Amino acid sequence: MPMIDIARVFATNKVLHSSFAECRHCLKDVETAGQSIVLSPALTPKEFVISASAFPASMYLPQRNFFSAVFQAIYFFLKIPPERRILYGRINYLFRIWVTSADNLLDNEDKVSFAINMPVDSRVMRQVVVIMAADRIMARFLDEAVANGVISPEGACSISDGTLQVLLPSAAEEASEEKGIIKRPDPAYVLNTIHHLKTGLLFHLPLFGPERIETNLDHRLLTACREGLGNFGLGCQLLDDMKDMARDHIDQRHNYTLSLLAHEYPSAVRRLQGMEKKISVEQSIYAEFAGELTPVARMAYRYMIDGLGKLNDCGLGLTPALSRAVALWMFKALDVDDARSWLS
């Protein structure tokens, strides 16, 4: 199957072209604010100096900002004024920093969400500084928005408090996995409850600002956007579960594919247990279970197609063929490219 060029999609789709331009603007604002905030005191010995640096150029590529561009497009559908679109887009990037940094701490990873120069290689403290910096960047953005009449002081307070409150259910779900789960629940429970908290909430974050601030929203359109984002996100999470089978098996984290094996494929569970001494958390093993996981790949694809269809009805403007191509591209973007062949 030929692979779509996401950069070309962004260039030729009017909505995504405009929303991606705003995303880049918002990302630059976060970068600039961070560089002016994360500054060690002047007399700090050089071996203890911490600072923020420019984002790597890859952070500005379409491939790294597909979700962000779709999120930003929602504000065009909802006819939100440009100055508040930019504010919400900036907040979306801060959510990206908070969530990525938390994942880095929980999963022993080091994905870059905000560029920090540390005098020594410190994965944990880097994430702590990044989270603290994001809070202060948000405070600056909200102060500026109030000063410029973009939102009221009460609105700024609502956003400030809400950025924590809206993440608490997801945080509670992650906390429930921190020491490892004892028994794999039914796959339907993982799909409808765990993944609603793990991923559904995160894909609804773009609606957080408008729901708190905007007074003239089209609630029918808002509901359609919510459903489209949720279904697309759920499809992506199922692909993530396939990719993370080894990690989630070893760390005893919730995973739809592992629950499916536990409840429906006992022989596959025995095969997986036989692999335990040979695999690492970084290893990709989903292809070893193609027979059992083909329905999962197809379900993920259907969820993504349905989500994109709903977003197209809202105004995204992808043709059915292009929507299918985008859904197929997600298999590659989420590192389960081999599973694309299971769809036919």
Side-chain angles (χ1 to χ4, degrees), residues 91-105:
I91 299 296
N92 286 342
Y93 270 106
L94 295 177
F95 273 126
R96 183 170 165 180
I97 291 171
W98 289 314
V99 171
T100 302
S101 295
D103 284 345
N104 283 342
L105 290 171

Side-chain angles (χ1 to χ4, degrees), residues 186-196 234 238 256 299 303:
D186 185 86
Y189 176 78
V190 177
L191 187 70
N192 298 318
T193 301
I194 298 298
H195 283 352
H196 170 70
L234 185 54
L238 289 171
Y256 178 83
M299 179 166 61
Y303 270 116

Side-chain angles (χ1 to χ4, degrees), residues 52-73:
S53 61
F55 288 140
S58 60
M59 285 286 285
Y60 288 91
L61 293 175
Q63 295 88 335
R64 292 288 298 273
N65 290 280
F66 180 78
F67 294 144
S68 297
V70 172
F71 293 169
Q72 195 72 19

